[in-house]
PDB file of all heavy atoms in Angstrom:
ATOM      1  N   SER B 182      23.711  -1.379 -94.298  1.00  0.00           N
ATOM      2  CA  SER B 182      23.752  -2.701 -94.873  1.00  0.00           C
ATOM      3  C   SER B 182      23.812  -2.577 -96.398  1.00  0.00           C
ATOM      4  O   SER B 182      22.927  -2.001 -97.008  1.00  0.00           O
ATOM      5  CB  SER B 182      22.418  -3.355 -94.455  1.00  0.00           C
ATOM      6  OG  SER B 182      22.383  -4.696 -94.767  1.00  0.00           O
ATOM      7  N   ILE B 183      24.902  -3.085 -97.013  1.00  0.00           N
ATOM      8  CA  ILE B 183      24.937  -2.976 -98.480  1.00  0.00           C
ATOM      9  C   ILE B 183      24.966  -4.378 -99.058  1.00  0.00           C
ATOM     10  O   ILE B 183      25.721  -5.243 -98.635  1.00  0.00           O
ATOM     11  CB  ILE B 183      26.189  -2.156 -99.020  1.00  0.00           C
ATOM     12  CG1 ILE B 183      27.490  -2.586 -98.345  1.00  0.00           C
ATOM     13  CG2 ILE B 183      25.923  -0.698 -98.810  1.00  0.00           C
ATOM     14  CD1 ILE B 183      28.657  -1.800 -98.898  1.00  0.00           C
ATOM     15  N   HIS B 242      11.684   3.726 -89.956  1.00  0.00           N
ATOM     16  CA  HIS B 242      10.251   3.615 -89.532  1.00  0.00           C
ATOM     17  C   HIS B 242       9.923   2.878 -88.222  1.00  0.00           C
ATOM     18  O   HIS B 242       9.016   3.336 -87.481  1.00  0.00           O
ATOM     19  CB  HIS B 242       9.369   3.108 -90.696  1.00  0.00           C
ATOM     20  CG  HIS B 242       9.569   1.682 -91.098  1.00  0.00           C
ATOM     21  ND1 HIS B 242       8.840   0.627 -90.518  1.00  0.00           N
ATOM     22  CD2 HIS B 242      10.348   1.084 -91.981  1.00  0.00           C
ATOM     23  CE1 HIS B 242       9.184  -0.516 -91.063  1.00  0.00           C
ATOM     24  NE2 HIS B 242      10.094  -0.274 -91.961  1.00  0.00           N
ATOM     25  N   ASN B 324       9.600  11.432-101.436  1.00  0.00           N
ATOM     26  CA  ASN B 324       9.368  10.078-101.873  1.00  0.00           C
ATOM     27  C   ASN B 324       9.885   9.068-100.890  1.00  0.00           C
ATOM     28  O   ASN B 324       9.521   7.910-100.956  1.00  0.00           O
ATOM     29  CB  ASN B 324      10.181   9.871-103.195  1.00  0.00           C
ATOM     30  CG  ASN B 324       9.328   9.400-104.329  1.00  0.00           C
ATOM     31  OD1 ASN B 324       8.134   9.195-104.220  1.00  0.00           O
ATOM     32  ND2 ASN B 324       9.942   9.144-105.439  1.00  0.00           N
ATOM     33  N   LEU B 327       8.095   8.556 -96.556  1.00  0.00           N
ATOM     34  CA  LEU B 327       6.919   9.263 -96.112  1.00  0.00           C
ATOM     35  C   LEU B 327       5.670   8.475 -96.608  1.00  0.00           C
ATOM     36  O   LEU B 327       5.517   8.307 -97.783  1.00  0.00           O
ATOM     37  CB  LEU B 327       6.915  10.678 -96.759  1.00  0.00           C
ATOM     38  CG  LEU B 327       5.814  11.645 -96.397  1.00  0.00           C
ATOM     39  CD1 LEU B 327       5.791  11.944 -94.921  1.00  0.00           C
ATOM     40  CD2 LEU B 327       6.049  12.940 -97.210  1.00  0.00           C
ATOM     41  N   PHE B 336       1.423  18.080 -97.347  1.00  0.00           N
ATOM     42  CA  PHE B 336       2.316  18.770 -98.279  1.00  0.00           C
ATOM     43  C   PHE B 336       1.533  19.418 -99.395  1.00  0.00           C
ATOM     44  O   PHE B 336       0.544  18.864 -99.877  1.00  0.00           O
ATOM     45  CB  PHE B 336       3.324  17.812 -98.841  1.00  0.00           C
ATOM     46  CG  PHE B 336       4.349  17.361 -97.855  1.00  0.00           C
ATOM     47  CD1 PHE B 336       4.055  16.333 -96.952  1.00  0.00           C
ATOM     48  CD2 PHE B 336       5.574  17.963 -97.761  1.00  0.00           C
ATOM     49  CE1 PHE B 336       4.977  15.915 -95.978  1.00  0.00           C
ATOM     50  CE2 PHE B 336       6.530  17.577 -96.821  1.00  0.00           C
ATOM     51  CZ  PHE B 336       6.228  16.595 -95.909  1.00  0.00           C
ATOM     52  N   ARG B 338       2.260  21.179-103.302  1.00  0.00           N
ATOM     53  CA  ARG B 338       3.279  21.357-104.304  1.00  0.00           C
ATOM     54  C   ARG B 338       3.446  22.819-104.660  1.00  0.00           C
ATOM     55  O   ARG B 338       2.483  23.554-104.741  1.00  0.00           O
ATOM     56  CB  ARG B 338       2.901  20.585-105.536  1.00  0.00           C
ATOM     57  CG  ARG B 338       3.776  19.369-105.649  1.00  0.00           C
ATOM     58  CD  ARG B 338       4.035  18.830-106.906  1.00  0.00           C
ATOM     59  NE  ARG B 338       3.217  19.363-107.899  1.00  0.00           N
ATOM     60  CZ  ARG B 338       3.296  18.940-109.135  1.00  0.00           C
ATOM     61  NH1 ARG B 338       4.118  17.993-109.439  1.00  0.00           N
ATOM     62  NH2 ARG B 338       2.507  19.430-110.045  1.00  0.00           N
ATOM     63  N   TYR B 343       7.903  20.436-102.716  1.00  0.00           N
ATOM     64  CA  TYR B 343       6.736  20.242-101.848  1.00  0.00           C
ATOM     65  C   TYR B 343       7.002  21.026-100.589  1.00  0.00           C
ATOM     66  O   TYR B 343       8.051  20.957 -99.991  1.00  0.00           O
ATOM     67  CB  TYR B 343       6.615  18.777-101.532  1.00  0.00           C
ATOM     68  CG  TYR B 343       6.142  17.930-102.691  1.00  0.00           C
ATOM     69  CD1 TYR B 343       7.043  17.515-103.688  1.00  0.00           C
ATOM     70  CD2 TYR B 343       4.812  17.612-102.865  1.00  0.00           C
ATOM     71  CE1 TYR B 343       6.609  16.799-104.792  1.00  0.00           C
ATOM     72  CE2 TYR B 343       4.360  16.835-103.957  1.00  0.00           C
ATOM     73  CZ  TYR B 343       5.266  16.489-104.919  1.00  0.00           C
ATOM     74  OH  TYR B 343       4.844  15.738-105.989  1.00  0.00           O
ATOM     75  N   GLY B 408      20.268   2.959 -84.675  1.00  0.00           N
ATOM     76  CA  GLY B 408      20.179   1.507 -84.515  1.00  0.00           C
ATOM     77  C   GLY B 408      21.400   0.806 -84.016  1.00  0.00           C
ATOM     78  O   GLY B 408      21.344  -0.234 -83.370  1.00  0.00           O
TER      79      GLY B 408
ATOM     80  N   SER C  89       2.302  13.653-110.188  1.00  0.00           N
ATOM     81  CA  SER C  89       2.704  14.052-108.845  1.00  0.00           C
ATOM     82  C   SER C  89       1.888  15.148-108.220  1.00  0.00           C
ATOM     83  O   SER C  89       2.224  15.646-107.137  1.00  0.00           O
ATOM     84  CB  SER C  89       4.177  14.447-108.868  1.00  0.00           C
ATOM     85  OG  SER C  89       4.388  15.404-109.880  1.00  0.00           O
ATOM     86  N   GLN C  91      -0.967  16.808-106.041  1.00  0.00           N
ATOM     87  CA  GLN C  91      -1.711  16.421-104.847  1.00  0.00           C
ATOM     88  C   GLN C  91      -3.000  15.709-105.187  1.00  0.00           C
ATOM     89  O   GLN C  91      -3.344  14.686-104.632  1.00  0.00           O
ATOM     90  CB  GLN C  91      -2.113  17.711-104.114  1.00  0.00           C
ATOM     91  CG  GLN C  91      -1.949  17.683-102.661  1.00  0.00           C
ATOM     92  CD  GLN C  91      -0.498  17.494-102.335  1.00  0.00           C
ATOM     93  OE1 GLN C  91       0.394  17.787-103.154  1.00  0.00           O
ATOM     94  NE2 GLN C  91      -0.177  17.118-101.127  1.00  0.00           N
ATOM     95  N   GLU C 104      -0.068   2.788-101.446  1.00  0.00           N
ATOM     96  CA  GLU C 104       1.137   3.614-101.414  1.00  0.00           C
ATOM     97  C   GLU C 104       1.360   4.257-102.757  1.00  0.00           C
ATOM     98  O   GLU C 104       0.682   3.902-103.756  1.00  0.00           O
ATOM     99  CB  GLU C 104       2.358   2.814-100.972  1.00  0.00           C
ATOM    100  CG  GLU C 104       2.810   3.001 -99.558  1.00  0.00           C
ATOM    101  CD  GLU C 104       3.105   4.448 -99.222  1.00  0.00           C
ATOM    102  OE1 GLU C 104       3.570   5.232-100.096  1.00  0.00           O
ATOM    103  OE2 GLU C 104       2.958   4.835 -98.045  1.00  0.00           O
ATOM    104  N   ILE C 107       6.721   8.411-106.511  1.00  0.00           N
ATOM    105  CA  ILE C 107       6.791   9.332-107.664  1.00  0.00           C
ATOM    106  C   ILE C 107       8.042   9.041-108.441  1.00  0.00           C
ATOM    107  O   ILE C 107       9.099   8.786-107.850  1.00  0.00           O
ATOM    108  CB  ILE C 107       6.811  10.775-107.145  1.00  0.00           C
ATOM    109  CG1 ILE C 107       5.514  11.079-106.389  1.00  0.00           C
ATOM    110  CG2 ILE C 107       6.993  11.760-108.314  1.00  0.00           C
ATOM    111  CD1 ILE C 107       5.510  12.421-105.751  1.00  0.00           C
ATOM    112  N   LYS C 118       9.564   1.914 -98.859  1.00  0.00           N
ATOM    113  CA  LYS C 118       8.085   1.816 -98.871  1.00  0.00           C
ATOM    114  C   LYS C 118       7.698   0.358 -98.688  1.00  0.00           C
ATOM    115  O   LYS C 118       6.746   0.028 -97.975  1.00  0.00           O
ATOM    116  CB  LYS C 118       7.483   2.374-100.169  1.00  0.00           C
ATOM    117  CG  LYS C 118       7.758   3.850-100.358  1.00  0.00           C
ATOM    118  CD  LYS C 118       6.537   4.662-100.542  1.00  0.00           C
ATOM    119  CE  LYS C 118       6.835   6.147-100.453  1.00  0.00           C
ATOM    120  NZ  LYS C 118       5.664   7.003-100.337  1.00  0.00           N
ATOM    121  N   SER C 120       9.368  -1.873 -97.185  1.00  0.00           N
ATOM    122  CA  SER C 120       9.664  -2.211 -95.813  1.00  0.00           C
ATOM    123  C   SER C 120       8.573  -1.709 -94.852  1.00  0.00           C
ATOM    124  O   SER C 120       8.094  -2.408 -93.982  1.00  0.00           O
ATOM    125  CB  SER C 120      11.016  -1.623 -95.437  1.00  0.00           C
ATOM    126  OG  SER C 120      11.265  -1.846 -94.038  1.00  0.00           O
ATOM    127  N   ASN C 132      18.923  -4.121 -83.677  1.00  0.00           N
ATOM    128  CA  ASN C 132      19.789  -2.950 -83.624  1.00  0.00           C
ATOM    129  C   ASN C 132      20.351  -2.468 -84.933  1.00  0.00           C
ATOM    130  O   ASN C 132      21.192  -1.588 -84.959  1.00  0.00           O
ATOM    131  CB  ASN C 132      20.959  -3.182 -82.654  1.00  0.00           C
ATOM    132  CG  ASN C 132      20.528  -2.763 -81.230  1.00  0.00           C
ATOM    133  OD1 ASN C 132      19.601  -2.028 -81.119  1.00  0.00           O
ATOM    134  ND2 ASN C 132      21.233  -3.276 -80.275  1.00  0.00           N
ATOM    135  N   SER C 139      18.949  -3.107 -98.174  1.00  0.00           N
ATOM    136  CA  SER C 139      18.746  -1.697 -98.480  1.00  0.00           C
ATOM    137  C   SER C 139      19.902  -0.892 -97.908  1.00  0.00           C
ATOM    138  O   SER C 139      20.453  -1.222 -96.897  1.00  0.00           O
ATOM    139  CB  SER C 139      17.425  -1.174 -97.933  1.00  0.00           C
ATOM    140  OG  SER C 139      17.431  -1.161 -96.539  1.00  0.00           O
ATOM    141  N   LEU C 140      20.254   0.158 -98.604  1.00  0.00           N
ATOM    142  CA  LEU C 140      21.324   1.007 -98.206  1.00  0.00           C
ATOM    143  C   LEU C 140      20.824   2.096 -97.286  1.00  0.00           C
ATOM    144  O   LEU C 140      19.937   2.819 -97.644  1.00  0.00           O
ATOM    145  CB  LEU C 140      21.955   1.649 -99.457  1.00  0.00           C
ATOM    146  CG  LEU C 140      23.175   2.512 -99.236  1.00  0.00           C
ATOM    147  CD1 LEU C 140      24.316   1.731 -98.672  1.00  0.00           C
ATOM    148  CD2 LEU C 140      23.594   3.147-100.531  1.00  0.00           C
TER     149      LEU C 140
END
Side-chain angles (χ1 to χ4, degrees):
Chain B
S182 191
I183 49 178
H242 71 90
N324 235 0
L327 184 61
F336 289 81
R338 253 206 350 183
Y343 290 80
Chain C
S89 52
Q91 223 65 17
E104 257 302 330
I107 298 173
K118 297 237 171 194
S120 174
N132 272 341
S139 69
L140 182 65

